[in-house]
Structures are given as C-alpha cells and as structure tokens.
Amino acid sequence: MTERFDCHYCKESLFGKKYILREDSPYCVKCYESLYSNTCEECKKPIGADCKDLSYKDRHWHETCFHCFQCKNSLVDKPFAAKEDHLLCTDCYSNEYSSKCNECKKTIMPGTRKMEYKGNSWHETCFICYRCQQPIGTKSFIPKDNQNFCVPCYEKQFAMQCVQCKKAITTGGVTYREQPWHKECFVCTGCKKQLSGQRFTSRDEFAYCLSCFCNLYAKKCAGCTNPISGLGGTKYISFEERQWHNDCFNCKKCSLSLVGRGFLTERDDILCPECGKDI
C-alpha cells in the first residue's frame, strides 16, 4: 500500500502537485498562501509563494510594488529613506526633506555626515576655517561676521594680546591703563596675587594690592603704628609730620578723642587740655 502524502491543512493529496514545507509539514500552495502569505503594502494582495517578498520594518511588498512613493521608480536593490510611512528614493527624499549646505548650497544627502550650528548645516568637507581653509570637523571654532574660524586663526587675526605674556586673550580679560591683560597675568607687583575683582591701587604705573601698597608706601599711624592707606575715604589726622588714624588720635592719659578738639603736646604725646594743664 502506498504511503499517503497529503497537505497538512486540507488533507488533499500532494502527489504530483507543487507543495511548500513549513516546520517540516507539507502544504499545498493554496493553503500555504491562505495561512501564511504576507499582504503587500502597496496593492493589498497576498504575496504568493512564487513571488519575491520584500520587507522593511515588518511591512511587505511584491517586488514590482516596491517603488518610490513620489517618482514611482523601483527601489529594489537601491538605497531609500522612509518618511511618514512612505518610502522614497534618495533623490526624492533629498529634494523634499534634506537640508542644503550653507557653503556650497547643494543638498546634503541622507546618510552623509553633516555639521550643524545655529540652524545651519554644512557638508563635513565644506565646514572649513575662513582663514586657513582647513576642515574644522569636531574641533572648537569661533564664529565672527557670518564666518567660522578655527581657534588658532581667530587668535592670530582678532584676539587681543596680553600686555604681560603676549599671548592671545580668548575669554574674559582685564583692561588696566587701556591695556589688555589675562586675569591670571594681572597680579600685584609685590605679592603676585591676582588683582582681578579685588581693590588695588598703583604707584609709578605698577599695580599693588592694598596690603602690599600700605606696607611699602603708606604712612604709619603714630598711635597704633599700622599703615594709613588713605584709600576709600579713610580719614586721618596730620600734625608736624606725624599722622594718626581718626580712631587713634586720643589723649595719651585719659584716651579722650581729640578729633575736632584742641590739644597739647608733650614730647611725642598728645594730651587733652584738661590732662595737659599741669605741664
């Protein structure tokens, strides 16, 4: 007795007929297409067993239906792009959606590397320094007057040079006596501490912090012997080549403030009239 060879689904004999194996089970063409064939996205008909099934992101097409949404040219074995569920050839996609290079004005094709800055786009090979004409790529750059410059070229052409170190000032900086300085170069002539953001003064065109200036040049108070800076409205008393802080100008005996009062002197001391009446 001849062994039976039937369709796994409809049980009709497959002897002498075309069949398709699925998971080791035979199916007649009609059952296979009814059960397992994908539906074409374009024509909505089943993709038969004798047709090539082209797929993209879980969607399927007949080979003859796989074409550009706009120009209808075949996309088989060609690069394409997807936009809003539609497939487009690279030419149609570029004309419709791709950005234009800010330098050469040509389309930046999908899949090619592009550079972007403030809403503008460039081909990677078109994004170059205006001065040296070398590609900027991912390096730092500085825009000026609608042109882009690599940092070395910008510094050579536009940046001010520090009067101290002679190098370019690219950010920040300090102006003193109408000359530019790096913040880190603008330091006290005495202690070399940075003066940016600090109170300072000068002598013979050299800048000093208040501490160094007072120690080097300020007069000393005859009372406490500390420097009298005279800066920032500091008040002091001067008498016979001697100076006092206002708070230090007191009677030697009773410590009464003598600011705005009459006083007497006894050698290096100053006395109020009451304490000095017995001199």
Side-chain angles (χ1 to χ4, degrees):
M1 183 177 178
T2 306
E3 185 179 354
R4 294 190 61 81
F5 184 57
D6 300 334
C7 172
H8 182 70
Y9 187 74
C10 70
K11 306 305 180 183
E12 288 188 7
S13 174
L14 296 177
F15 279 113
K17 297 180 181 179
K18 187 176 180 180
Y19 66 90
I20 301 165
L21 281 176
R22 181 182 173 88
E23 297 176 355
D24 296 329
S25 297
Y27 292 84
C28 65
V29 173
K30 183 178 179 180
C31 287
Y32 180 87
E33 291 181 349
S34 175
L35 293 170
Y36 302 115
S37 288
N38 295 307
T39 300
C40 176
E41 285 283 327
E42 179 68 15
C43 68
K44 308 305 179 185
K45 296 179 181 179
I47 301 174
D50 57 345
C51 296
K52 192 171 183 179
D53 185 335
L54 301 180
S55 65
Y56 172 72
K57 290 188 175 180
D58 295 326
R59 299 160 68 199
H60 299 263
W61 290 262
H62 291 105
E63 187 173 14
T64 54
C65 295
F66 194 62
H67 53 67
C68 173
F69 177 74
Q70 286 193 354
C71 70
K72 307 305 179 184
N73 287 333
S74 174
L75 297 177
V76 177
D77 296 329
K78 295 179 181 178
F80 63 90
K83 186 73 173 180
E84 298 174 356
D85 291 334
H86 298 308
L87 302 184
L88 301 166
C89 66
T90 53
D91 287 341
C92 289
Y93 183 89
S94 298
N95 291 334
E96 191 74 20
Y97 301 108
S98 290
S99 52
K100 301 291 190 294
C101 176
N102 195 56
E103 180 66 23
C104 70
K105 311 305 178 186
K106 295 180 180 179
T107 299
I108 301 176
M109 299 297 289
T112 59
R113 191 172 182 184
K114 68 177 179 179
M115 316 303 292
E116 294 182 311
Y117 177 71
K118 287 191 173 181
N120 291 322
S121 301
W122 290 262
H123 292 108
E124 185 177 22
T125 53
C126 292
F127 191 59
I128 60 176
C129 171
Y130 181 74
R131 188 172 187 267
C132 69
Q133 298 295 298
Q134 294 301 307
I136 294 174
T138 57
K139 294 182 292 186
S140 297
F141 68 95
I142 301 172
K144 183 176 176 62
D145 299 332
N146 296 321
Q147 302 294 344
N148 298 315
F149 295 83
C150 64
V151 173
C153 284
Y154 181 87
E155 291 179 351
K156 290 176 184 176
Q157 188 159 339
F158 300 110
M160 293 185 294
Q161 288 191 336
C162 174
V163 70
Q164 176 68 21
C165 69
K166 311 304 179 187
K167 295 180 181 179
I169 301 173
T170 55
T171 57
V174 175
T175 299
Y176 174 64
R177 293 186 180 274
E178 299 184 357
Q179 292 181 314
W181 304 66
H182 288 113
K183 287 183 179 181
E184 58 271 23
C185 293
F186 187 58
V187 297
C188 172
T189 304
C191 66
K192 306 304 179 184
K193 291 182 179 178
Q194 286 190 31
L195 296 177
S196 176
Q198 309 296 323
R199 293 180 64 197
F200 67 92
T201 187
S202 63
R203 184 172 178 110
D204 300 328
E205 298 188 1
F206 294 104
Y208 293 87
C209 67
L210 297 189
S211 178
C212 286
F213 181 84
C214 289
N215 290 334
L216 292 170
Y217 301 112
K219 299 179 184 299
K220 302 298 189 292
C221 174
C224 68
T225 70
N226 289 326
I228 301 173
S229 70
L231 300 171
T234 302
K235 294 182 178 180
Y236 63 97
I237 307 296
S238 181
F239 176 72
E240 292 184 349
E241 299 183 357
R242 291 188 292 166
Q243 288 79 31
W244 292 261
H245 295 107
N246 268 19
D247 293 340
C248 296
F249 193 58
N250 304 320
C251 174
K252 179 67 174 179
K253 290 186 177 181
C254 70
S255 300
L256 177 70
S257 174
L258 299 177
V259 177
R261 301 170 182 266
F263 61 90
L264 302 171
T265 61
E266 182 183 18
R267 299 184 183 87
D268 291 335
D269 297 331
I270 54 174
L271 304 169
C272 66
E274 182 65 27
C275 293
K277 65 182 179 181
D278 295 331
I279 296 177

